[in-house]
Amino acid sequence: MKKVKQWTNYLVYILLHSLWYAISLLPLCVLYGLSDTLYYLMAYVIRYRHAVIWKNLTASFPDKTVAELKAIEKGFYRYFCDYFVETIKLKTMRKSELMRRMTFSGVEAVNAILEEGQSVGFYLGHLGNWEWITSLPHWLTKEAVSCQIYHPLENVQMDRLFKEVREQQGAHCIPMAESLRKIVQFGRQGKPVIVGYIADQSPLWWNIHHWVEFLHQDTPVFTGSERIVKHTNQAFIYGDVRRIKRGYYHCELKLVRRDTKGIADFELTDMYFQLLEQTICREPEIYLWSHNRWKRTREEFNRLYYVDAQGKVLERKDGTQTNASSKDKK
């Protein structure tokens, strides 16, 4: 029975891989035609996650009119469909084309830090095409090891496919649970590391240690990336992403803090969310509004958990476990 399941999973992987590869061979102009069709389906027929998107937009931009919010929502649907086909194209996109369409500035300063032997923490948000940003290793000194922290997908076949695509530009994908150990290993080998952190997801209840004011909302945030950055004294770089035009993005690498070892707890996280908010407000259409970012509230958190003076979760008030294996996954 186990072998049957293994063969089934393998066949599913081959099928998905072949389909992805075949579609990715289409020119981007054809794929954008597909994106235009998807847009009308997503925005007007399926209305993909409309309730979540609208809730997020109205709470994030209380001063905007309904017409302005609707324009942002439509812009998001167009961008999101483009993101989908662009990610498919990444499978077979040539290095030269990718470097022409996804450009970076501030690279010289980052390379200088890496060449001096210091590692770098590269903070991003779910904004623009973060899959194309995996091409950053093409712009960096060959002395450095490029890594990206990621959450493995529950679907094993899709996780394998996305991992392959994300790593084909030269960066190592490191599961979040193994991140500190892997980064320390590279350090012991004398290799400077640049690590990509996308830290704007919604944390599980048991992993909430800090709250920030983000887009006018009280927001629980991940702090694990900050702990890694401080522990390994990585320079703090923020990736300020903008879309130049359809199919073209630019990321400015901004040095925020060179020495991070002794910085106060949560200060890096606060700075990251302030910078991310500025980027989002400049071009809100290209942020991932379909993510249910604010599904956890402080009121419910305080009702469910005992915490210490620093806000660290001690235990649930109903006595159940405060870890990922408990019902807190909801």
Side-chain angles (χ1 to χ4, degrees):
M1 192 69 180
K2 185 177 179 181
K3 283 196 172 184
V4 172
K5 185 176 181 180
Q6 289 175 340
W7 272 105
T8 301
N9 289 338
Y10 178 71
L11 290 173
V12 169
Y13 166 77
I14 293 296
L15 178 62
L16 291 173
H17 182 279
S18 301
L19 183 62
W20 189 335
Y21 183 85
I23 297 175
S24 73
L25 293 173
L26 295 172
L28 261 176
C29 60
V30 175
L31 290 173
Y32 282 136
L34 173 61
S35 175
D36 292 339
T37 303
L38 284 175
Y39 162 71
Y40 284 103
L41 288 173
M42 297 274 275
Y44 297 105
V45 181
I46 302 172
R47 303 196 77 197
Y48 172 72
R49 302 200 68 140
H50 166 74
V52 172
I53 295 167
W54 193 250
K55 180 191 73 169
N56 288 343
L57 288 175
T58 53
S60 298
F61 302 109
D63 297 330
K64 291 190 180 295
T65 65
V66 171
E68 289 173 322
L69 294 174
K70 285 184 177 179
I72 294 172
E73 182 183 35
K74 288 182 179 179
F76 164 74
Y77 277 125
R78 286 195 179 277
Y79 143 75
F80 188 69
C81 293
D82 280 357
Y83 160 80
F84 176 72
V85 300
E86 288 167 358
T87 300
I88 291 175
K89 184 62 180 176
L90 186 59
K91 181 72 176 170
T92 56
M93 188 179 286
R94 296 189 307 273
K95 174 183 172 181
S96 58
E97 183 179 10
L98 186 54
M99 292 184 72
R100 182 170 58 86
R101 291 178 173 274
M102 180 70 245
T103 56
F104 296 86
S105 59
V107 177
E108 296 82 2
V110 174
N111 278 333
I113 293 170
L114 292 168
E115 286 166 358
E116 290 175 17
Q118 184 179 3
S119 292
V120 169
F122 175 38
Y123 275 77
L124 292 162
H126 283 93
L127 187 142
N129 195 317
W130 56 92
E131 304 296 351
W132 282 14
I133 290 178
T134 60
S135 63
L136 178 59
H138 299 320
W139 299 75
L140 298 175
T141 174
K142 302 306 179 185
E143 305 299 319
V145 177
S146 298
C147 305
Q148 48 197 321
I149 309 302
Y150 83 110
H151 295 277
L153 301 175
E154 291 185 13
N155 185 295
V156 177
Q157 286 74 39
M158 290 305 298
D159 182 66
R160 181 178 174 185
L161 284 169
F162 269 94
K163 186 172 181 291
E164 287 177 358
V165 171
R166 288 167 176 168
E167 289 188 331
Q168 70 184 26
Q169 307 305 324
H172 301 273
C173 282
I174 303 177
M176 180 171 283
E178 303 174 20
S179 53
L180 181 58
R181 180 174 61 84
K182 291 283 188 182
I183 292 166
V184 169
Q185 278 181 357
F186 285 123
R188 288 174 178 167
Q189 295 168 8
K191 299 176 181 177
V193 181
I194 179 166
V195 186
Y197 304 98
I198 299 184
D200 59 343
Q201 305 98 320
S202 180
L204 296 170
W205 286 116
W206 62 275
N207 205 28
I208 295 174
H209 304 105
H210 186 53
W211 299 74
V212 300
E213 185 72 16
F214 177 53
L215 290 168
H216 300 282
Q217 296 167 83
D218 195 22
T219 309
V221 296
F222 280 109
T223 57
S225 52
E226 175 182 306
R227 291 195 295 272
I228 295 171
V229 167
K230 289 170 61 177
H231 181 80
T232 56
N233 195 30
Q234 298 174 8
F236 173 25
I237 301 291
Y238 174 70
D240 189 8
V241 178
R242 65 180 70 223
R243 181 176 52 179
I244 307 303
K245 60 182 180 178
R246 192 178 204 181
Y248 291 84
Y249 301 87
H250 181 76
C251 178
E252 181 182 359
L253 306 178
K254 295 183 174 180
L255 175 60
V256 182
R257 184 75 177 245
R258 178 75 187 261
D259 180 19
T260 57
K261 193 88 174 175
I263 198 168
D265 286 348
F266 309 131
E267 189 173 340
L268 288 180
T269 300
D270 291 345
M271 286 191 289
Y272 161 65
F273 277 96
Q274 289 167 9
L275 291 165
L276 180 60
E277 181 170 321
Q278 292 171 15
T279 304
I280 292 168
C281 289
R282 185 184 64 219
E283 195 175 359
E285 294 85 359
I286 65 169
Y287 188 58
L288 188 63
W289 296 108
S290 56
H291 174 49
N292 197 3
R293 182 67 188 79
W294 291 277
K295 60 187 174 183
R296 311 195 197 282
T297 65
R298 194 190 292 256
E299 292 75 20
E300 188 175 5
F301 178 73
N302 290 336
R303 181 173 58 82
L304 290 173
Y305 293 94
Y306 294 111
V307 298
D308 63 16
Q310 287 73 44
K312 182 179 179 181
V313 175
L314 299 176
E315 60 179 323
R316 277 184 67 112
K317 291 180 178 179
D318 61 7
T320 57
Q321 287 181 290
T322 57
N323 57 45
S325 64
S326 73
K327 66 181 181 182
D328 295 341
K329 282 189 175 183
K330 68 179 180 179

